[in-house]
Amino acid sequence: MVQMKDSRKIQIQLNQENIEPAERREGFSETTHYPLLKAEKRISGMIGMDPVKTFIREMYALVYVNECRRKLGMTISPQNYHMLFTGNPGTGKTTVARIMASMLKDMNVLEEGHFIEADRADLVGEYIGQTAQKTKDIVKKAEGGILFIDEAYSLARGGEKDFGREAVDALVKAMEDRQHKFVLILAGYPDEMKQFLKLNPGLPSRFPNTLSFRDFSGADMLTLTEQLMEEKQYQPTARMRQKLSRHFQMLREADFRQNGRYVRNLVERIIRRHALRLLEEPVTMNKHALMTLEEVDMPDA
């Protein structure tokens, strides 16, 4: 057992002479690597998340190996865990940020592991001096946990009298002064975030951990649709499944960037149309009818 910065402990198994390579292990011990296995279990059901799973494992490995080095009296440097998430809406950025908060708490990197979600209105004031104080207050509230700011590029919007830049400057200062007391995750669209990082010359270097969330493929969206339907105890017919597949393929070919949120809304619309069809048609309300989604239940484009 390795003593952490407080009374909690994380169990680490060490062999000073020969540590078995990861590729030779049949699996990770639940008692030793519980934080990682817990995070991976939460993300296992998510679609299109292979790069995310690799990133989470890398972050876990960084903390774990540093603790192994510290236990053996080796030199370790304080780590910067601030992160930058880029991706379109519905790709899972907020969900993954919450998973990271839980994992870092389980590893005692974060004392509390709470998750504070903020936006422009929480940081930017309406008069001189208010923005710096609002930003300072939200950072203090996030100490011991993660501060997550989605659509962070919105801080760069506004005219000459806008105080968004002041909020960015205050965040940069907080990252420097309190860099080991909280973790900041900025998220947003890829192109907009590139422009946002130019707002303050100190921003790019403060985010060594960057994760890009890819858009769903047509197959990804179809898989998620079927998962959601199964969870709600619905079953699409073969013709309905073909229609869904063509629909998602059409979206991708048209570069219509819709992801998990779009799929969830679409499933809800399909279920509503199914319910209306059963109401209006003379059908027997048996189990087959109540769970079967027909091609006609697919909304028009």
Side-chain angles (χ1 to χ4, degrees):
M1 303 288 284
V2 176
Q3 184 69 42
M4 301 299 285
K5 60 185 177 183
D6 56 14
S7 60
R8 294 173 290 181
K9 300 177 181 179
I10 181 171
Q11 187 175 17
I12 294 178
Q13 297 176 347
L14 292 176
N15 184 332
Q16 297 187 35
E17 296 180 356
N18 183 22
I19 298 179
E20 185 181 4
E23 61 270 19
R24 295 182 185 174
R25 301 171 188 165
E26 294 182 357
F28 286 144
S29 164
E30 184 173 350
T31 56
T32 304
H33 299 289
Y34 168 76
L36 174 63
L37 297 178
K38 175 183 173 184
E40 290 185 335
K41 182 178 180 180
R42 291 181 62 185
I43 206 171
S44 62
M46 298 176 68
I47 302 298
M49 288 285 156
D50 287 343
V52 176
K53 294 172 185 176
T54 299
F55 177 83
I56 287 178
R57 183 164 284 209
E58 288 176 349
M59 294 297 292
Y60 173 85
L62 178 65
V63 178
Y64 177 78
V65 170
N66 274 340
E67 284 303 316
C68 291
R69 289 172 60 90
R70 188 187 70 81
K71 180 65 175 180
L72 296 178
M74 301 173 68
T75 300
I76 58 173
S77 301
Q79 295 297 318
N80 179 349
Y81 296 106
H82 300 307
M83 305 174 206
L84 193 69
F85 288 179
T86 63
N88 289 309
T91 49
K93 298 186 295 295
T94 303
T95 299
V96 172
R98 291 182 182 276
I99 292 173
M100 288 298 306
S102 177
M103 187 180 79
L104 293 177
K105 178 182 183 298
D106 289 338
M107 298 194 75
N108 300 322
V109 172
L110 298 174
E111 293 183 0
E112 304 296 334
H114 58 296
F115 186 84
I116 303 296
E117 190 169 357
D119 56 22
R120 177 185 166 89
D122 297 312
L123 301 169
V124 180
E126 299 179 355
Y127 52 82
I128 296 175
Q130 186 183 27
T131 296
Q133 187 59 48
K134 290 182 72 171
T135 304
K136 182 179 179 180
D137 291 343
I138 202 75
V139 168
K140 186 171 181 60
K141 186 178 179 181
E143 284 190 4
I146 281 182
L147 174 58
F148 179 78
I149 304 176
D150 199 5
E151 298 185 1
Y153 48 79
S154 64
L155 298 175
R157 294 174 178 170
E160 295 181 359
K161 296 182 179 180
D162 184 75
F163 297 108
R165 183 182 293 270
E166 183 182 352
V168 175
D169 294 340
L171 283 173
V172 171
K173 187 176 188 305
M175 293 170 70
E176 182 67 28
D177 296 343
R178 301 173 179 271
Q179 60 177 315
H180 302 303
K181 294 185 178 181
F182 80 109
V183 171
L184 176 63
I185 300 180
L186 299 184
Y189 301 163
D191 293 339
E192 285 84 347
M193 289 303 291
K194 289 180 182 178
Q195 294 300 318
F196 169 74
L197 291 176
K198 298 177 182 179
L199 192 63
N200 183 298
L203 271 177
S205 63
R206 284 174 168 78
F207 291 96
N209 310 300
T210 301
L211 178 59
S212 297
F213 290 73
R214 70 174 179 85
D215 291 323
F216 287 8
S217 67
D220 289 336
M221 287 190 280
L222 180 59
T223 299
L224 178 57
T225 300
E226 292 179 319
Q227 283 185 357
L228 292 174
M229 289 178 175
E230 184 178 357
E231 289 173 5
K232 298 175 182 294
Q233 291 191 311
Y234 286 94
Q235 178 65 49
T237 63
R239 292 177 65 87
M240 177 57 154
R241 189 180 186 281
Q242 291 172 0
K243 190 168 185 177
L244 284 165
S245 180
R246 290 194 301 268
H247 175 70
F248 293 136
Q249 187 59 37
M250 178 196 70
L251 293 182
R252 298 304 302 142
E253 291 174 354
D255 198 27
F256 191 63
R257 298 181 180 179
Q258 298 292 346
N259 296 295
R261 196 171 303 154
Y262 174 82
V263 171
R264 290 179 179 87
N265 291 337
L266 176 62
V267 170
E268 292 300 325
R269 291 181 64 194
I270 291 172
I271 290 175
R272 290 199 302 270
R273 286 174 61 94
H274 167 263
L276 181 60
R277 175 171 61 81
L278 294 186
L279 177 67
E280 295 177 343
E281 293 181 357
V283 298
T284 303
M285 292 295 186
N286 55 34
K287 188 173 183 180
H288 179 267
L290 292 171
M291 70 182 300
T292 302
L293 299 173
E294 303 282 355
E295 185 181 10
V296 295
D297 299 325
M298 180 72 177
D300 296 332

